[in-house]
Amino acid sequence: MSAAKESASEARDTGTLGKLMVLLDRVTHADEPMRFTDILAVANQPRGTVHRQLSHLVEEGLLEIDTDGRYSPGLRLLDLASRSWARNEFRLIAEPHLKALQDLTGETVHLGVLRGTSIIYLDKFEGQQPVRMYSQIGNASPVYCTGVGKAALSILPRERVKALVADLAFHRFTANTHTAESLLAEIEEIRKQGHAFDREEHEVGIRCIAAPIWSENLSLVGGVSVTGPAYRLTVERLSEWAAAIQESAERIMEAMRIGLGPRR
Amino acid sequence: MSAAKESASEARDTGTLGKLMVLLDRVTHADEPMRFTDILAVANQPRGTVHRQLSHLVEEGLLEIDTDGRYSPGLRLLDLASRSWARNEFRLIAEPHLKALQDLTGETVHLGVLRGTSIIYLDKFEGQQPVRMYSQIGNASPVYCTGVGKAALSILPRERVKALVADLAFHRFTANTHTAESLLAEIEEIRKQGHAFDREEHEVGIRCIAAPIWSENLSLVGGVSVTGPAYRLTVERLSEWAAAIQESAERIMEAMRIGLGPRR
DNA sequence: AATTACGTTCCATATAATAGAACTACCCGG
DNA sequence: CCGGGTAGTTCTATTATATGGAACGTAATT
């Protein structure tokens, strides 16, 4: 084994696949196509290794390489994901309820689910203009600064929240973004209320209200939210929808019990 | 090496990743969650091997396993794909032109790209109701029964078309679906016309007109299409848009030369 | 033309995947 | 309550694959 590696805290190692996925993540999460050298620099691994790994990813269509030798996410990912999305049971069950909530509020409705320390948005209903599909869907956002994220945390047992928070790196997106302490405090509040707000904690000018959704055994934890521009949506205004959104969450959970309980 | 494998024509073997991707494809392309035994049956590989491979895919979030031990596509795929989509240069460049075409025709406009023997839909603009996002996007459809597919083939050199057609398994979706011979014949026609029709060849009741889009070195081959219900859109009616759609394709190609040529 | 940066290929070695079997848990019928 | 099948998991020597260091091309730069 080579030396100079023990300092890194990235203890991820599912073998070959794990290493490849780390690389794939790096390239897909970059803002623009990366050249070989750029990737090599952040991968701290030998040139030959990185080169072969990239070649394999390209061969499988997970990455693509343009004529300038720059790597971008591959289209194969789209095909795989479209199945993942179309078949997702949680999303299918929630769909009509999200639509109803959109009709009621006239604002954007999101469905999200907790994965690790992120909220992944599964669906979105926008009111006005033709939706730019995919827009938000599939995006992973930090738990600590999204309504859905905080709502989701509020129904987890306290030890699990603590453990999860310990894993978080709190990035200060806005002046209102939580720290570990303030987050834990607010979660207690949310537990009592049954709903969570996002008071411009992720993005200035954006507020939301969210309610948690969970399965009995907590194998699925997420939430619904109603989101909109801060100039139009004060916290008071959002509060008026608290009952509706919590009811909507309840109905989705009810539908899950029926839909997922007995085989199909 | 074990015997009883040479009959299969699946000569895909990029090493470890390749094998895992075959498995991942199997599960994501199924219509419903698969149990371990189901996967084992189609994978013809030893139990231990399949089990470990699935475990690795689950660990990486590419697959998910529910409480009944059934495997489904994982949400990690969504996150990866959303980046792939959002950053796709071809899609970004084409976007305004697709919108314009939608405004002009009032019908659904698709953008697709050739990958192997499939067309992958990259974007979609629908007129009327709020779009169900992801709907079609990311889906891979056979070249031989889609307007975009046939348009794309029409600009490839004849040998390449021949080779590609030889790889195809023609599934008869409707009474109008092409065979190898009729497809090759129509491609010649499309070469002259500059646009292709789909005369209910994939789905009864759906017709479309498409124009090809390609980069100089053919590293990118695809097309735009206008699609709609057959009762409203006769081939004559569609023909009226032939000039517009070809012009739209031209403009997209022009934009690509500018946008992709000089770095950025 | 010389120099440097960048990307690719090679090959002995180390590492991870493989395959077969043994093991466990569960379900169903007698 | 027991036996026998079915479904899924774990174990381990063997084999295949990935690794990494260095050597090799091949542009770009001056």
Side-chain angles (χ1 to χ4, degrees):
Chain A
M1 178 99 304
S2 67
K5 192 65 101 21
E6 67 281 353
S7 65
S9 61
E10 348 185 326
R12 245 287 213 58
D13 247 320
T14 324
T16 304
L17 179 61
K19 296 169 201 162
L20 288 170
M21 290 304 293
V22 169
L23 206 56
L24 182 58
D25 257 346
R26 281 253 163 70
V27 178
T28 52
H29 285 70
D31 292 326
E32 40 177 79
M34 294 178 82
R35 290 208 327 292
F36 178 76
T37 317
D38 304 332
I39 301 172
L40 183 60
V42 294
N44 56 1
Q45 277 191 307
R47 304 156 74 82
T49 301
V50 172
H51 188 265
R52 183 184 32 75
Q53 288 174 332
L54 288 171
S55 302
H56 284 167
L57 289 169
V58 169
E59 273 181 78
E60 290 300 328
L62 300 175
L63 286 182
E64 297 186 0
I65 180 167
D66 62 25
T67 45
D68 301 336
R70 300 178 310 168
Y71 294 85
S72 312
L75 293 185
R76 175 87 170 278
L77 292 168
L78 281 188
D79 179 45
L80 292 168
S82 70
R83 319 274 170 175
S84 169
W85 189 80
R87 284 178 45 189
N88 188 276
E89 287 195 66
F90 177 39
R91 201 208 105 240
L92 287 165
I93 288 170
E95 197 165 34
H97 302 281
L98 302 180
K99 185 78 181 68
L101 204 52
Q102 202 287 314
D103 285 342
L104 174 73
T105 63
E107 300 291 344
T108 301
V109 172
H110 278 113
L111 178 73
V113 63
L114 180 66
R115 271 306 120 109
T117 62
S118 299
I119 289 295
I120 294 185
Y121 287 107
L122 279 184
D123 212 339
K124 170 182 182 174
F125 278 82
E126 249 176 309
Q128 43 279 36
Q129 72 289 345
V131 177
R132 286 318 297 124
M133 353 145 186
Y134 265 84
S135 54
Q136 186 73 252
I137 297 176
N139 267 19
S141 299
V143 252
Y144 58 87
C145 56
T146 59
V148 172
K150 295 189 294 179
L153 290 182
S154 78
I155 56 91
L156 289 180
R158 285 183 179 77
E159 327 83 71
R160 235 181 106 182
V161 175
K162 240 180 186 164
L164 201 150
V165 167
D167 273 357
L168 284 175
F170 286 81
H171 177 74
R172 194 168 179 78
F173 293 101
T174 75
N176 292 348
T177 304
H178 276 292
T179 61
E181 299 75 40
S182 65
L183 177 63
L184 288 170
E186 199 195 345
I187 299 225
E188 290 306 317
E189 212 38 54
I190 297 166
R191 265 186 225 276
K192 290 177 212 151
Q193 300 294 329
H195 58 263
F197 295 99
D198 167 1
R199 302 176 171 87
E200 309 186 66
E201 296 157 31
H202 192 14
E203 209 177 325
V204 174
I206 302 289
R207 272 200 271 264
C208 95
I209 178 168
I213 298 175
W214 67 96
S215 65
E216 208 165 346
N217 59 0
L218 297 185
S219 64
L220 184 130
V221 178
V224 250
S225 69
V226 175
T227 310
Y231 72 82
R232 196 197 305 152
L233 301 182
T234 59
V235 170
E236 289 73 40
R237 179 105 181 74
L238 285 169
S239 297
E240 293 170 21
W241 292 324
I245 196 171
Q246 287 184 240
E247 209 174 301
S248 187
E250 284 296 344
R251 282 205 215 93
I252 292 170
M253 286 191 272
E254 176 62 24
M256 280 164 58
R257 276 189 288 274
I258 298 164
L260 294 173
R263 190 42 9 80
R264 61 167 35 261
Chain B
M1 184 100 303
S2 68
K5 193 66 99 22
E6 67 280 355
S7 66
S9 62
E10 347 183 325
R12 244 292 212 50
D13 247 321
T14 324
T16 305
L17 179 61
K19 295 169 202 164
L20 288 169
M21 290 305 291
V22 169
L23 206 56
L24 182 59
D25 257 347
R26 281 253 164 70
V27 178
T28 52
H29 285 69
D31 292 325
E32 40 178 81
M34 294 177 83
R35 290 208 326 293
F36 177 75
T37 316
D38 305 332
I39 300 172
L40 183 61
V42 295
N44 56 2
Q45 278 192 305
R47 306 156 72 82
T49 301
V50 172
H51 188 266
R52 182 184 34 75
Q53 288 175 333
L54 289 172
S55 300
H56 284 167
L57 290 168
V58 169
E59 273 181 78
E60 290 299 329
L62 299 174
L63 287 182
E64 297 186 0
I65 181 168
D66 61 26
T67 46
D68 301 336
R70 300 179 311 169
Y71 293 85
S72 312
L75 293 185
R76 174 87 170 276
L77 293 168
L78 280 188
D79 179 43
L80 292 167
S82 70
R83 317 275 172 174
S84 170
W85 189 79
R87 283 178 47 187
N88 188 277
E89 287 195 67
F90 178 39
R91 202 207 105 242
L92 286 165
I93 288 170
E95 197 166 32
H97 302 280
L98 303 180
K99 184 77 182 67
L101 205 51
Q102 202 286 314
D103 286 342
L104 174 73
T105 63
E107 300 291 345
T108 301
V109 172
H110 278 114
L111 178 74
V113 63
L114 180 67
R115 270 307 120 106
T117 62
S118 299
I119 290 294
I120 294 184
Y121 287 108
L122 279 184
D123 213 339
K124 171 184 183 175
F125 278 81
E126 249 176 307
Q128 43 278 37
Q129 71 290 344
V131 178
R132 286 318 296 123
M133 11 189 156
Y134 262 83
S135 55
Q136 188 73 254
I137 298 176
N139 267 17
S141 299
V143 252
Y144 58 87
C145 57
T146 59
V148 171
K150 295 190 294 179
L153 290 182
S154 78
I155 57 92
L156 289 181
R158 284 184 181 75
E159 328 85 69
R160 233 181 109 182
V161 175
K162 241 182 187 162
L164 201 150
V165 167
D167 273 357
L168 283 175
F170 285 82
H171 177 76
R172 195 169 178 77
F173 293 100
T174 76
N176 292 348
T177 304
H178 275 293
T179 61
E181 299 75 40
S182 65
L183 177 64
L184 288 170
E186 200 196 345
I187 299 222
E188 290 306 318
E189 213 36 54
I190 296 166
R191 266 187 224 276
K192 291 177 213 152
Q193 300 294 329
H195 59 263
F197 294 99
D198 167 2
R199 301 175 171 89
E200 307 186 66
E201 296 157 31
H202 192 17
E203 209 176 326
V204 173
I206 302 288
R207 273 200 271 264
C208 94
I209 178 168
I213 297 175
W214 68 95
S215 65
E216 208 165 347
N217 59 0
L218 298 185
S219 65
L220 184 130
V221 179
V224 249
S225 69
V226 175
T227 309
Y231 73 84
R232 194 198 307 154
L233 301 182
T234 60
V235 170
E236 290 72 42
R237 180 103 180 74
L238 285 170
S239 298
E240 292 170 21
W241 292 325
I245 195 171
Q246 287 182 239
E247 209 175 301
S248 186
E250 284 296 345
R251 283 205 214 95
I252 292 170
M253 285 191 272
E254 177 63 23
M256 281 163 59
R257 278 189 288 274
I258 298 165
L260 292 173
R263 187 51 4 81
R264 64 165 33 261

